[in-house]
């Protein structure tokens, strides 16, 4: 099995991630997070929020609605340009994202350029392609009690989209925040939430999904200071990825995106690429969006987006630096980094070497023997004490102690605490370390 297959299998076996709607045969591009996945994901999202919002004086949070007035997507350019190059095999009718099946082409590929790559259909192996068509990735819906069959005109008027990025919920609240909080420039607005994209080919486990969580910041700066703020934000992202998410610096590669490949709103973009088990892929992006969004909103809404400098009284439309990361991509990067196989006393084991602040559980408490009531009672006492103090504590009295260690290693629990007969005598417990498998004894009062 490849490393990615090992990770997928561990995620299912231990309750991190299941295929979406699995019981009905699944739904491509959707995934359900199980009890341990929810805990790890929440720890990641909370760590991001703490690092970028709570710890700082220049960041504010919002939680905007997913359904937004469709004018949002007209103004942002998504209705017109948020599209991928779709190509269909005329032989077997399979559809693909052209730039993902051919080498050396980009999202803006033309039919002629694609045909020149002489790519064979990944499904039937033939080379008989239709033209490249632009496929808009926004999911459409209709708001209110109207069916397209009843009244096509009204249904069209009530058309809405599931947001394809959380960013627009930030831009549309920029004026609300300036008018209520009066922040000094530069300041940022952060949001975490679901985004939806009708991806042509979802793939690589949770790397390319049809719905994903994004964590985005729009950082508003004076136009002539964008370059220094861009560099600061770039360093800050690296700091978060390595020191908080625990990724290795050597697995992260910054890629300066050339003009022709940048999103329609960006004047400069750096993609942070990560060495995933199946190869290098985009983990996150950092873009200089200029005043593109605020200027569009001002035009579409007729409301001024100007900021008045409190000291100089000067007015201008701020420019924007945007770091944007998908939680699922970060989750997979963290799992790929943590996933390790080694051997202890001639026995193979799998460990998730997660940083302890991200691990679903910090401690596992168990009695050495399940059938000795005095050990079980003492172990419950220790469990309740730790649960009160650290919250993320689990109980395990299944199987033998070796099996419990293997299970806790696989879900990334840093410390296993075992209550044995000595505990009853001297109030000490065994603490076993996940990464080194070494054991020490400590007084319960010192835990
Ligand atoms: N607001 C800017 C924006 O949305 P993007 O490059 O389209 O830019 C930003 O997306 C990040 O969101 C990506 O770097 C990736 O981490 C995540 N992302 C985007 N599409 C995704 C998908 N289909 N599945 C999982 N994550 C995705």
């Amino acid at each position: 099995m490849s490393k990615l297959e090992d990770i997928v299998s561990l995620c299912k076996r231990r309750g991190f991630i299941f295929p979406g709607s699995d019981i009905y045969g699944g739904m491509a591009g959707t995934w359900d997070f199980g009890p341990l996945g929810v805990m790890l994901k929440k720890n990641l999202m909370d760590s991001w929020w703490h690092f970028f919002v709570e710890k700082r004086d220049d960041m504010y949070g919002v939680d905007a609605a997913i359904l937004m007035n469709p004018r949002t997507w007209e103004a942002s350019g998504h209705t017109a340009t948020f599209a991928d190059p779709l190509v269909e095999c005329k032989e077997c009718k399979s559809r693909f994202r052209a730039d993902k099946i051919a080498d050396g082409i980009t999202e803006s590929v033309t039919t002629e350029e694609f045909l020149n790559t002489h790519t064979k259909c990944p499904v039937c192996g033939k080379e008989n392609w239709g033209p490249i068509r632009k496929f808009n990735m926004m999911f459409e819906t209709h708001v209110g009690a109207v069916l397209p069959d009843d009244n096509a005109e009204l249904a069209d008027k009530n058309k809405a989209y599931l947001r394809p990025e959380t960013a627009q919920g930030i831009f549309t609240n920029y004026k609300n925040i300036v008018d209520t909080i009066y922040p000094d420039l530069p300041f940022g607005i952060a949001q975490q939430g679901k985004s939806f994209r009708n991806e042509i080919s979802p793939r690589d486990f949770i790397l390319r999904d049809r719905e994903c969580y994004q964590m985005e910041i729009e950082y508003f700066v004076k136009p002539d200071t964008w370059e220094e703020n861009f560099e600061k934000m770039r360093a800050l992202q690296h700091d978060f990825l390595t020191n908080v998410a625990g990724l290795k610096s050597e697995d992260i590669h910054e890629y300066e995106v050339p003009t022709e490949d940048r999103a329609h709103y960006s004047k400069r973009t750096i993609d942070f690429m990560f060495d995933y088990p199946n190869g290098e892929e985009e983990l996150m992006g950092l873009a200089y969006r200029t005043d593109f969004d605020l200027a569009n909103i001002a035009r579409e809404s007729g409301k001024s987006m100007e900021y008045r400098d409190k000291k100089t009284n000067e007015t201008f439309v701020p420019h924007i630096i945007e770091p944007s990361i998908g939680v699922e991509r970060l989750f997979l990067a963290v799992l790929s980094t943590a996933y390790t196989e080694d051997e202890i006393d001639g026995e193979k084991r799998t460990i998730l070497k997660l940083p302890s602040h991200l691990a679903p559980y910090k401690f596992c408490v168990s009695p050495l023997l399940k059938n000795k009531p005095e050990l079980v009672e003492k172990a419950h006492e220790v469990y309740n004490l730790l649960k009160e103090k650290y919250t993320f504590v689990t109980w395990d009295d299944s199987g033998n102690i070796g099996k419990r260690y293997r299970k806790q290693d696989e879900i990334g629990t840093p410390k296993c605490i075992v209550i044995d007969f000595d505990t009853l005598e001297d109030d000490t417990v065994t603490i076993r370390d996940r990464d080194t498998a070494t054991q020490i004894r400590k007084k319960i009062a010192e835990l």
Side-chain angles (χ1 to χ4, degrees), residues 164-165 167 197 199 206-209 212 214 216 265 282-285 289 322 324-326 329:
E165 62 169 11
R197 297 177 180 195
E199 294 284 351
I206 52 172
L207 201 75
R208 189 170 296 284
D209 312 316
C212 67
Q214 284 187 314
E216 303 199 285
Y265 49 71
E282 178 188 323
L283 165 63
M284 61 161 293
R289 290 182 80 131
E322 177 198 64
S324 171
I325 188 162
R329 291 202 187 172

Side-chain angles (χ1 to χ4, degrees), residues 11-301:
C11 282
K12 192 164 182 192
R13 191 168 69 246
R14 293 300 185 192
F16 282 90
I17 301 176
F18 310 112
S21 325
D22 203 14
I23 209 152
Y24 292 116
M27 171 120 180
T30 68
W31 298 92
D32 295 341
F33 282 69
L36 294 177
V38 167
M39 292 167 98
L40 174 52
K41 182 158 80 166
K42 189 167 180 315
N43 290 343
L44 269 175
M45 292 175 75
D46 288 352
S47 301
W48 184 93
W49 194 259
H50 183 64
F51 184 86
F52 286 109
V53 184
E54 288 166 348
K55 260 178 51 178
R56 300 175 60 107
D57 293 328
D58 59 346
M59 297 280 191
Y60 305 90
V62 286
D63 185 7
I66 287 175
L67 292 172
M68 301 180 73
N69 188 310
R71 287 169 71 195
T72 309
W73 310 112
E74 291 292 338
S76 68
H78 281 79
T79 318
T81 61
F82 191 58
D84 274 344
L86 172 74
V87 68
E88 186 178 287
C89 169
K90 285 202 220 159
E91 300 288 333
C92 70
K93 307 290 174 226
S94 299
R95 292 178 166 196
F96 304 95
R97 204 176 129 172
D99 57 325
K100 294 292 168 194
I101 56 167
D103 289 333
I105 56 166
T106 66
E107 283 169 27
S108 48
V109 62
T110 61
T111 301
E112 197 186 346
E113 283 164 355
F114 177 71
L115 295 180
N116 281 341
T117 63
H118 295 291
T119 301
K120 304 246 181 305
C121 171
V123 173
C124 69
K126 305 257 171 57
E127 191 191 325
N128 185 9
W129 297 105
I132 300 273
R133 283 180 293 159
K134 284 286 173 194
F135 174 74
N136 194 298
M137 291 197 291
M138 286 198 291
F139 279 104
E140 274 181 29
T141 186
H142 296 93
V143 173
V146 61
L147 297 170
D149 292 355
D150 288 350
N151 186 333
E153 201 181 320
L154 190 58
D156 199 49
K157 235 175 98 189
N158 290 9
K159 190 152 79 178
Y161 302 94
L162 301 185
R163 68 178 176 204
E165 62 169 11
T166 57
Q168 295 303 323
I170 298 179
F171 295 127
T172 48
N173 276 293
Y174 154 82
K175 193 169 158 49
N176 287 335
I177 287 168
V178 169
D179 291 349
T180 51
I181 311 277
Y182 314 111
D184 287 327
L185 276 187
F187 73 92
I189 307 178
Q191 175 162 228
Q192 300 181 328
K194 276 242 162 142
S195 293
F196 302 82
R197 297 177 180 195
N198 198 358
E199 294 284 351
I200 298 170
S201 346
R203 65 186 168 87
D204 289 337
F205 191 31
I206 52 172
L207 201 75
R208 189 170 296 284
D209 312 316
R210 291 201 164 115
E211 54 175 276
C212 67
Y213 273 94
Q214 284 187 314
M215 303 192 283
E216 303 199 285
I217 295 169
E218 306 305 329
Y219 200 64
F220 300 84
V221 304
K222 261 186 109 165
D224 59 359
T225 66
W226 80 265
E227 275 163 313
E228 68 199 73
N229 281 300
F230 190 92
E231 289 309 321
K232 277 189 199 159
M233 196 53 88
R234 179 181 184 173
L236 204 61
Q237 299 310 309
H238 203 82
D239 188 10
F240 170 77
L241 294 175
T242 52
N243 294 324
V244 181
L247 308 185
K248 293 184 195 136
S249 219
E250 63 265 29
D251 291 338
I252 302 166
H253 312 282
E254 292 183 15
Y255 169 70
E256 187 80 46
V257 180
T259 317
E260 63 275 18
D261 292 346
R262 283 200 297 260
H264 59 282
Y265 49 71
S266 176
K267 274 246 169 81
R268 183 178 180 197
T269 299
I270 290 181
D271 280 345
F272 285 64
M273 310 297 285
F274 182 79
D275 291 327
Y276 287 99
N278 276 10
E280 194 181 271
E281 287 283 353
E282 178 188 323
L283 165 63
M284 61 161 293
L286 177 65
Y288 168 45
R289 290 182 80 131
T290 67
D291 61 352
F292 178 84
D293 300 275
L294 292 186
N296 287 340
I297 292 176
R299 198 179 52 247
E300 181 77 24
S301 67

